[in-house]
Amino acid sequence: MAGDRRAHRHVGTSGVAPIGATPPYDAVIFDLDGVVTDASAVAGDRGVRVFTGTVALVRRLRAGGVPTGLVTAAPDIDALLAAADLEGLFDVIVDGARRGGVGGGPDAALFLEAARRLGVAPGRVAVVDDTPEGVGAARRGGFALAVGVDRLGRREVLEAAGADLVVQDVEQLDLGALRADPWSLVYEGFDPAHEGHREALTTLGNGYMGTRGAAPERAADGVHYPGTYLAGVYNRLTSTVHGRQVEDEQIVNAPNWLLLDVQVEGGEWWSGGGLITTRSRRELDLRHGVLSRRVDLADAAGRRLEITQRRLVSMARPHVAALETVVVARGWSGRVAVRSGVDAGVTNANVAEYALLQKRHLRGIAVRLQAADLFAVEADTSQSGIRIAVAARTSVAGAGPPGWDADARRHRYAHRFDLSLRDGAPVVIDKVVAVCTSRDVAISSPVLGAVDELDRAPRGFDRLLSEHEAMWRRLWDRFSIGLDADREVQLVLNLHVFHLLQTISPHTAALDAGVPARGLHGEGYRGHVFWDELFVLPAVATHLPEVARALLAYRWRRLDAA
């Protein structure tokens, strides 16, 4: 069955650069009219043009091992697909010639027949259609998800027909996004086309810093993009583009504190393809400001690992962030190595339009070993001269002192733990970091400030979480807005307010920083300072007047430059 095969198809054979999409559905069925722009055209007549977003999604699904079906009432489907150069794209086709007694048109029986031939129950199938009749047929057929594609301005009609969600183009569709709870943003499976979007939406921040929802084991590779951004920390670079000098200023991608990798029995590291993802789930808890992740892994020998992670960027302690990782061996016992550290070799490289611009904003990178379980990495911004320090402490209950794993060429520094796992017994890895810069007040140096923040922070993720949640409760008491609307609309509103509070928090009152247009989840803003606070001041001034005052003072100090 398709559900049994999917476990081995979540990444490419290398495990490093997955190319397929693996949503929480065992199959996806499309209607022909949503694939080509003119299903009435035939080869030799005026030809057929395709919806490129739809075809791209089908190819990603196939690469990820998710079966796909196509339904249509057209009897000349082979000629149509040949004219569009789409032969062999779908696993199953149900049309006027193949349906074997199934009625034509947007009938539930067409979709049900396609699901039967795919060998997947309707309750595990998503249907994508651009007509209200097709959406209604999918709803009547009991399919897991009915997606309406609104190309004609008929969103309300598609919703009334029963669409679970409506998109303007299939390229916007993230099949892994689940929307059952207005306080949780959930993604199941993996889709490289949407990973950057997911990382941005699952950013955690506290007004002082923000960290994208990237996987801790991944470096920037064209699909994943770790990024940590600090309020008010900008740097200017001069680039030569087509023979001309171009100067631009960007918010700086600070050293990546998330770095955490796993290795089984001396094999290749997870980041290098030694472990293959068989199942993944990511959940952003908006109410409590926590990003959780569950990943099931397997190596080439079939040894299985279950990894559960929780992370926070503390709303109670603006300089502190934490990552808890629980590792469980399933069906075996043996050795696992873990490295936990900081990657200071990051660049500003997540905006394709700026590919020709200089990307490296950090220089003078140095590492200091402060204690057996604690080290700090420092770097300067190359033009603005801001010193950034990240101090990191990792502890594993019952483990001895960690070893040292450094790659000075790439500026990656980590503690290494060699652990013995017993089948079914969890091992907890606690990582806490603190970030300080030379812009901070009341510190003698950024590195000493970061180490002091770590020393003052409570040990253990749960203790940090308790005070963090208390601060979020106070914020939501002031800012939450209830709507008489469906879950998805409420979720969108909650998400917008959540990101506002992560960018402009009570900690902003103590900073000389404005409102970055992209929040603290990306550097594509290039450092321009517009009047972005005008959009948020009505909400901020009502509930956090001291923050509104600080934002206006920031603007006032820069009026002459503007």
Side-chain angles (χ1 to χ4, degrees), residues 72 104 129 138 143 145 200 226 247 256 290 379 400 405 409 443 477 495 545 553:
T72 178
D129 200 298
F143 287 86
L145 183 74
E247 187 177 79
N256 174 27
V290 175
D405 189 327
R409 182 180 63 85
I443 60 171
D477 283 345
L495 183 63

Side-chain angles (χ1 to χ4, degrees), residues 6 44 64 142 144 164 169-170 177 214 233 267 308 320 339 349 354 361 368 388 397 420 429 468 498 521 546 557 561:
R6 288 179 68 242
D164 294 294
D169 192 284
V170 175
V233 176
T308 306
V320 174
R339 57 185 179 194
Y354 308 151
H361 290 266
R368 298 189 186 187
I388 303 170
S420 294
I429 303 154
H468 170 73
F498 179 74
H521 65 255
E546 69 280 9
R557 289 190 289 269

